[in-house]
Amino acid sequence: MSKDYYNILGVDRKASKEDVKKAFRKLAHKFHPDKKGGDEAKFKELNEAYSVLSDDKKRAEYDAYGRVFSDGAGGGASGGANPFEGFDFGGFGSNFEGVDLGDVFGEFFGGGKERARRGRDISIDLELPFNEAVFGTERKVLLGKTGFCETCSGSGAAPRSEMLTCTMCNGRGKIHETKRSFFGSFSTVATCTTCQGRGKVAKEKCHACHGVGVRRKDEEIALRIPPGIEDGEVIRLTGGGEAVAGGTAGDLYVKIHVKKHPLFTKEGNNLTTNLSIKLSTALLGGEYKIQTLDGDLTVKVPAGVSLGEILRVRGKGIPYDKNKRGDLLIKLSIELPTKLSKEAQRLVEELKKEGI
Ligand SMILES: [Zn+2]
Ligand SMILES: [Zn+2]
């Protein structure tokens, strides 16, 4: 490749990035194919020169070897700096229906590939009681969104309708459109809105969706929440988002919020709880009735336990790995009497004599 990119853009070899950008904008404006007196070949050449000279790495390679190794020099604006940076596109914003802005410019520069149309993702929040988060649960949520039409399964055609080639795009599914920009105007490839990119239209349209294939509706979505889900975890349902005519649906993201439990805390696969026992139980041992997520349970406190000791009840924790369950950990605290009766005081004196 022996083209002189500096010459093409009409800049000095020492030109700053800003000057390169300015020169490119000016010339691109002048030679844009959609303008009167435009020149497509010249425009492509400008774009090629700009993609190299606006990229520090490519420009250094070009300066040293007269060519670029890191990327195809004609590869479009993808690798280079964005010449549109700082420009206000007005209505031509990121919400350009179903098409990535990057894709539009990729096409504009002859580089990128068109991606399939995809509907927007939807994010929702779901609060669960502690028990349901531990054991897993099912929830049905009603979601107002654009979904595929059930009557025509998204095709837009009435049952058994004859399919005709779309006259708007001649069956290509795409239409070259002229868009206004700071250049004046330039063309982009857009999905044909008549056939929604399918290239064919039904002779008889689906009555439920008027031939669009999607429609706004309330959809009931069944969510299966796996056991042991953590607070803040996100469940993704592929295809649960907004549908788009002639494309694929986005995804649904469900963020889980787990309510706190007054008695239990989750620690990995284990549950922890606190139990306050009497001093006499700590010394002599005894039985306590406690609450678990599976109902009441009597636990045996062995004699001679100390403050902060942990009793473990196996298998009463969080379910995991099909049939396994974590444990319930009971952290002991000992209630010390603040006031002793005369009799109690006498007995403790006796204990003292015993060296306790
Ligand atoms: Zn329909
Ligand atoms: Zn069409």
Side-chain angles (χ1 to χ4, degrees):
M1 199 169 294
S2 55
K3 281 179 189 165
D4 188 343
Y5 292 142
Y6 291 98
N7 204 6
I8 290 167
L9 290 179
V11 293
D12 196 285
R13 294 192 84 80
K14 285 181 204 133
S16 69
K17 262 182 136 166
E18 201 48 49
D19 289 341
V20 167
K21 194 193 267 186
K22 268 189 202 153
F24 169 72
R25 279 178 175 168
K26 204 174 142 197
L27 291 165
H29 190 106
K30 188 175 168 192
F31 290 107
H32 193 279
D34 284 350
K35 291 209 74 163
K36 209 178 157 197
D39 182 339
E40 197 175 347
K42 179 77 182 161
F43 184 74
K44 274 191 178 159
E45 210 180 26
L46 287 170
N47 175 45
E48 188 183 313
Y50 180 73
S51 76
V52 171
L53 298 189
S54 63
D55 185 286
D56 290 347
K57 194 178 168 217
K58 289 180 187 173
R59 185 172 175 176
E61 285 179 5
Y62 178 73
D63 285 347
Y65 308 107
R67 56 180 296 188
V68 174
F69 305 96
S70 43
D71 193 6
S78 50
N82 181 5
F84 301 97
E85 213 175 3
F87 258 86
D88 182 9
F89 287 100
F92 192 59
S94 57
N95 230 350
F96 189 61
E97 201 220 340
V99 185
D100 248 4
L101 205 56
D103 284 0
V104 174
F105 289 122
E107 292 217 15
F108 171 37
F109 284 108
K113 284 197 191 101
E114 200 186 19
R115 236 182 271 159
R117 278 157 66 93
R118 186 175 176 277
R120 278 191 302 127
D121 293 334
I122 299 176
S123 296
I124 58 167
D125 292 88
L126 184 66
E127 195 180 50
L128 293 176
F130 190 85
N131 291 39
E132 290 189 46
V134 166
F135 294 114
T137 185
E138 280 176 11
R139 273 284 191 285
K140 279 178 179 154
V141 290
L142 198 62
L143 215 56
K145 63 167 189 170
T146 303
F148 290 111
C149 169
E150 306 95 339
T151 310
C152 62
S153 309
S155 75
R160 291 176 295 279
S161 166
E162 194 185 326
M163 298 301 285
L164 308 170
T165 301
C166 174
T167 51
M168 190 62 89
C169 62
N170 291 320
R172 273 187 231 112
K174 284 176 206 143
I175 283 185
H176 287 265
E177 273 181 2
T178 302
K179 293 267 170 197
R180 285 176 53 141
S181 78
F182 67 92
F183 286 144
S185 57
F186 65 89
S187 78
T188 59
V189 181
T191 305
C192 173
T193 49
T194 305
C195 62
Q196 312 296 350
R198 298 183 194 102
K200 291 203 176 293
V201 286
K203 195 173 176 186
E204 199 193 332
K205 286 177 179 172
C206 167
H207 297 295
C209 63
H210 308 288
V212 183
V214 294
R215 59 199 188 108
R216 196 87 200 152
K217 56 183 174 175
D218 287 334
E219 205 170 294
E220 197 180 62
I221 298 191
L223 296 171
R224 217 182 52 77
I225 316 290
I229 196 152
E230 300 275 355
D231 182 53
E233 239 180 287
V234 175
I235 299 175
R236 179 172 129 180
L237 263 89
T238 307
E242 303 265 11
V244 64
T248 53
D251 297 336
L252 172 64
Y253 292 89
V254 185
K255 187 169 183 182
I256 302 294
H257 302 273
V258 181
K259 276 192 218 164
K260 286 203 183 323
H261 195 283
L263 297 178
F264 305 108
T265 316
K266 186 174 181 291
E267 271 176 27
N269 292 325
N270 295 330
L271 284 173
T272 61
T273 190
N274 294 306
L275 179 64
S276 187
I277 58 170
K278 286 187 176 141
L279 176 61
S280 53
T281 312
L283 295 170
L284 303 171
E287 286 184 344
Y288 272 87
K289 203 175 185 183
I290 60 154
Q291 262 189 55
T292 74
L293 289 180
D294 304 82
D296 289 352
L297 186 78
T298 304
V299 287
K300 241 189 174 149
V301 179
V305 291
S306 47
L307 180 73
E309 216 167 297
I310 288 168
L311 300 182
R312 180 184 293 264
V313 186
R314 295 207 182 270
K316 296 288 180 206
I318 313 286
Y320 68 99
D321 270 8
K322 288 176 194 158
N323 299 322
K324 290 182 193 154
R325 277 185 74 174
D327 302 333
L328 173 64
L329 306 178
I330 305 165
K331 197 172 176 182
L332 298 180
S333 56
I334 298 165
E335 272 174 66
L336 293 174
T338 47
K339 245 180 162 180
L340 290 178
S341 63
K342 272 211 168 124
E343 178 64 3
Q345 201 168 357
R346 191 187 61 78
L347 291 169
V348 176
E349 292 289 351
E350 292 292 318
L351 288 175
K352 197 174 169 186
K353 281 180 206 157
E354 288 291 320
I356 291 169

